[in-house]
Amino acid sequence: MAANGRTLFEKLIYVGIATFFLWPFVQLWSIKAIPLINSDTHLRASVALENLMEGALERSYEASGYTEGFKPIPGYEDIGLNGKIEAVPQPDFPDCLLVRAQVKWGGFPFTKTISLEYLKSRTRP
């Protein structure tokens, strides 16, 4: 008895599920390593995102609990780049903050957003 192969529809479903779960891990890397669009907008946005995250991580732990709305990033006015930083307590682990930096650009139906997250913790004396 020969086993039937997977249908095209099943294969597409599996690829879609794998892409959905793997995309956040390769998003920033793919922008830098494999520029699919012949534009430096994505690269500039990724550099601005890393700078936002570095600025957020430089703050002391006590001054880290904050949320900012999207604000224009100086130096990126030509592409309309806006950045947002938020740090919220991690609900499952005490003394941990979830720091998230996001940048977005583009108009309403074509808005693009990339983000980075970092779990910041402190040790008790």
Side-chain angles (χ1 to χ4, degrees):
M1 205 185 299
N4 291 337
R6 304 235 185 254
T7 65
L8 179 62
F9 182 72
E10 288 176 318
K11 291 177 184 176
L12 288 175
I13 293 246
Y14 294 142
V15 167
I17 291 171
T19 303
F20 176 79
F21 287 109
L22 293 176
W23 181 249
F25 299 107
V26 298
Q27 181 182 24
L28 189 60
W29 174 83
S30 66
I31 288 172
K32 289 185 170 184
I34 311 168
L36 299 176
I37 299 172
N38 193 10
S39 168
D40 69 338
T41 304
H42 290 85
L43 182 60
R44 290 178 64 200
S46 67
V47 169
L49 178 64
E50 289 176 342
N51 291 340
L52 276 178
M53 181 59 84
E54 286 176 8
L57 295 178
E58 286 176 357
R59 296 182 184 185
S60 67
Y61 185 87
E62 289 74 20
S64 293
Y66 55 88
T67 300
E68 300 174 357
F70 280 102
K71 297 178 184 174
I73 300 175
Y76 296 92
E77 293 85 6
D78 58 329
I79 59 174
L81 195 63
N82 295 315
K84 172 182 168 181
I85 299 172
E86 60 183 334
V88 294
Q90 213 287 339
D92 297 327
F93 303 105
D95 295 327
C96 287
L97 286 176
L98 181 63
V99 181
R100 181 180 300 124
Q102 293 179 316
V103 294
K104 73 175 184 175
W105 69 97
F108 161 62
F110 304 110
T111 302
K112 295 184 180 183
T113 304
I114 55 175
S115 61
L116 279 176
E117 291 184 353
Y118 184 84
L119 187 61
K120 185 176 185 177
S121 64
R122 70 174 176 178
T123 57
R124 294 183 181 200

